[in-house]
Amino acid sequence: MLPRLCRGAAIALLSLACLFTFLPKVFAQSTTDGAIGGTVYDSTGAAVPNANVSVQNEGTNAVVNATTDAQGFFRVIHLQPANYTVTISAAGFQEYKAEHTVVTVGSFTNLEPHLTVGNSSQTVTVTDAAPLVNTNSPEVNSVINQQQINNLPINGGRWSNFAVLTPGVVSNSDGFGLLSFRGVSALLNNVTVDGADNNQAYFSEERGRTRAQYSTSEEAVQEFQVNTSNYSAEYGRAAGGVINTVTKSGTNQFHGQAFFRDRDNDWGAKKRLYHAHHAGFFRQFCDKCL
């Protein structure tokens, strides 16, 4: 009996090893960063192994290096959401450089560069961008970026309200800013900031809402990902949607912002408990106050 059990265990372990050996190259990125990867080809469409890949953050100049495998595949993970310059070099080929390659939070940016035979001192430069259609994963999501957050108007400073720009997301119409995904209750969402929980456990809703807002200022938000369905397991905890947010981390360029909010009662449709006749920094008022 024992030898038979040993043979069975050995077969099971061998099968498991074969399964992991032949699995496709799918690696998950974190909920707080992104990734760049793809397959490097030559002009005939053949894979280029052992090519050197350099990924440089255009804001901080931080560089991450990688090498393509035997199938010409590479992947660089844990990249801060930003614009990157990807440089690829291999013996006997011209250097390939893709500038302004966009990495967004929780997403994978796919590149399929084709190297040209020639002197390695020559460089082919292209301007790349994030794909308009996601062909790498099954989740349905969109990213609200810094340009939208800076330029679109918002009432009250709650950045998550920008999620209504995503198809299938609507306000629950009670005036407090909770969101409904695909008609699911607004109490069944999951909101994170830099990977940390931003939900109120007692009321099962985003922190703040009807009370004094406990939420990151929109000025501190870099971008956020709105996952409406088919999102992967690392998000979870939601029958509705997931709002995955990252805050700004800075670049080599020195800059700052100064702003104030003025909610003057003379411009309001209702009288409020607080009269905003004087401008106040970071001051916000509840529309439901009488």
Side-chain angles (χ1 to χ4, degrees):
M1 178 65 68
L2 184 59
R4 182 178 300 176
L5 289 176
C6 292
R7 286 197 299 271
I11 292 173
L13 290 174
L14 181 60
S15 301
L16 188 61
C18 292
L19 176 63
F20 281 102
T21 300
F22 295 103
L23 276 175
K25 294 181 176 65
V26 178
F27 307 93
Q29 55 277 346
S30 165
T31 60
T32 59
D33 50 43
I36 292 177
T39 302
V40 179
Y41 301 98
D42 62 18
S43 57
T44 67
V48 179
N50 300 317
N52 297 315
V53 181
S54 173
V55 178
Q56 181 178 25
N57 187 314
E58 295 179 1
T60 64
N61 293 328
V63 177
V64 181
N65 297 310
T67 303
T68 59
D69 61 16
Q71 289 75 42
F73 180 82
F74 75 95
R75 186 182 184 98
V76 179
I77 61 174
H78 300 314
L79 296 177
Q80 170 192 336
N83 290 342
Y84 288 81
T85 296
V86 181
T87 304
I88 302 174
S89 59
F93 294 94
Q94 297 181 21
E95 186 179 75
Y96 175 94
K97 182 177 291 185
E99 298 177 338
H100 313 310
T101 302
V102 180
V103 172
T104 57
V105 58
S107 299
F108 171 70
T109 301
N110 185 61
L111 295 178
E112 293 188 354
H114 287 72
L115 304 186
T116 303
V117 176
N119 193 321
S120 59
S121 63
Q122 297 174 303
T123 302
V124 177
T125 303
V126 299
T127 300
D128 213 329
L132 296 177
V133 179
N134 177 20
T135 60
N136 301 297
S137 55
E139 64 261 19
V140 180
N141 61 51
S142 62
V143 174
I144 308 299
N145 58 33
Q146 187 62 209
Q147 183 178 10
Q148 293 168 298
I149 295 174
N150 285 342
N151 296 324
L152 294 177
I154 189 171
N155 182 24
R158 182 176 287 280
W159 44 265
S160 60
N161 288 347
F162 287 123
V164 296
L165 297 171
T166 303
V169 183
V170 297
S171 171
N172 67 339
S173 302
D174 65 358
F176 293 136
L178 288 183
L179 303 171
S180 172
F181 290 72
R182 311 181 317 279
V184 178
S185 170
L187 302 180
L188 298 177
N189 301 326
N190 184 21
V191 182
T192 63
V193 176
D194 291 333
D197 187 294
N198 196 46
N199 303 287
Q200 189 183 84
Y202 185 83
F203 291 99
S204 184
E205 61 191 29
E206 183 182 359
R207 286 182 179 174
R209 200 179 73 111
T210 61
R211 293 146 189 88
Q213 289 195 15
Y214 184 82
S215 182
T216 307
S217 167
E218 64 180 288
E219 299 297 329
V221 171
Q222 171 70 24
E223 62 186 34
F224 63 93
Q225 181 187 46
V226 183
N227 296 279
T228 57
S229 65
N230 293 357
Y231 37 80
S232 55
E234 66 261 29
Y235 299 103
R237 294 183 53 196
V242 176
I243 297 180
N244 178 34
T245 306
V246 289
T247 56
K248 297 176 181 177
S249 59
T251 65
N252 290 343
Q253 181 181 3
F254 181 79
H255 63 279
Q257 291 177 306
F259 65 97
F260 69 92
R261 300 190 184 280
D262 183 7
R263 293 287 298 275
D264 198 301
N265 190 62
D266 293 338
W267 293 92
K270 295 181 180 180
K271 291 183 178 180
R272 295 177 174 83
L273 180 62
Y274 301 105
H275 297 279
H277 291 300
H278 301 284
F281 283 93
F282 306 98
R283 195 172 184 182
Q284 300 177 14
F285 300 92
C286 176
D287 288 331
K288 288 296 181 179
C289 293
L290 299 178

